Amino acid sequence: MYVLLGSSTSDASSPFSRRVRNAVPDFEARGISGASVSSWIAKVRSEPSTTYRGQNVLVYLPGQMSVPFATGVRTLTDLVLARGATSVQWVLPPKFPAGVKMNSTNTDREQITGSTSAAILAAGVGVLNRSRLILRAVEVTSDGVHLTVAGQHRLADSLIPLLSAPAAISPTAPSLISPSTLAGGGFITLMGVLAGAYGVYLLLNR
């Protein structure tokens, strides 16, 4: 079963969610309007330890007024996995046309979504769509933030084939082990192998 976490575009009544649900069996959208990576972290922390047991979780959080940090992306991923998810795949937000500004801040929308994509990729988490959908100006609503129905449908259509591929539901490993820890473990393993080889050499040359 697929479970979609996110904000307004990922809520159960959105054109995006309905489009995916009509094409993908066992799909449930749990998006919350106005949600961010940090608010989802708080929500998942308050949920029971078995909330996502056996489910393949998709996360579509294109960024609200600020850009999430890679650490937040990793934290949310690990929390969902700790609550039983089989896999967690993030959806990179689409690329907004040049000059599209968010009415509330007069900030280029692509500055937020592009930086959000960079944070997701830097986090080293599972990503469903390695290529971002390039939006047309007519697919962005007048607030400069949300997608029109046509835009949401096209985003859904770009993801549906990926959800049908076996790789989309491969298990995700928690990202709790740091690269430095892995490097240290590799060094220790190497030293153990060398010590063993030296012991065999001494036995053979007694």
Side-chain angles (χ1 to χ4, degrees), residues 21 44 54-55 87 101 104 116 125 142 164 193:
R21 187 171 61 243
V44 175
Q55 296 170 343
S87 68
K101 293 184 178 294
S104 56
T116 296
V125 295
S142 59
S164 303
V193 171

Side-chain angles (χ1 to χ4, degrees), residues 21-32:
R21 187 171 61 243
N22 289 338
V24 178
D26 296 326
F27 174 86
E28 179 186 351
R30 299 182 188 175
I32 302 169

Side-chain angles (χ1 to χ4, degrees), residues 167-187:
I169 57 173
S170 59
T172 303
S175 57
L176 298 177
I177 302 176
S178 67
S180 59
T181 302
L182 288 173
F187 177 75

Side-chain angles (χ1 to χ4, degrees), residues 12-185:
S13 63
S14 73
F16 169 74
S17 295
R18 293 201 308 268
R19 185 85 156 193
V20 177
R21 187 171 61 243
N22 289 338
V24 178
D26 296 326
F27 174 86
E28 179 186 351
R30 299 182 188 175
I32 302 169
S33 182
S36 63
V37 170
S38 58
S39 62
W40 265 106
I41 288 173
K43 175 173 169 40
V44 175
R45 278 180 172 153
S46 70
E47 293 175 331
S49 61
T50 57
T51 300
Y52 303 99
R53 178 177 289 171
Q55 296 170 343
N56 299 293
V57 176
L58 304 173
V59 186
Y60 176 50
L61 286 162
Q64 301 297 313
M65 298 300 110
S66 59
V67 179
F69 293 107
T71 51
V73 172
R74 283 195 298 268
T75 296
L76 179 54
T77 300
D78 289 336
L79 285 169
V80 173
L81 288 170
R83 279 152 179 76
T86 299
S87 68
V88 179
Q89 300 286 329
W90 287 71
V91 176
L92 296 182
K95 183 176 177 60
F96 277 67
V100 171
K101 293 184 178 294
M102 300 185 292
N103 290 354
S104 56
T105 63
N106 199 37
T107 303
D108 284 354
R109 179 60 170 151
E110 178 56 23
Q111 181 178 327
I112 303 294
T113 53
S115 298
T116 296
S117 293
I120 293 170
L121 294 172
V125 295
V127 175
L128 181 65
N129 57 328
R130 287 283 169 176
S131 298
R132 297 173 63 198
L133 176 70
I134 300 175
L135 295 173
R136 311 179 187 103
V138 294
E139 293 172 333
V140 183
T141 61
S142 59
D143 64 6
V145 175
H146 297 93
L147 307 187
T148 63
V149 171
Q152 291 193 42
H153 281 174
R154 201 158 72 87
L155 177 61
D157 290 344
S158 72
L159 301 177
I160 288 168
L162 302 176
L163 294 174
S164 303
I169 57 173
S170 59
T172 303
S175 57
L176 298 177
I177 302 176
S178 67
S180 59
T181 302
L182 288 173

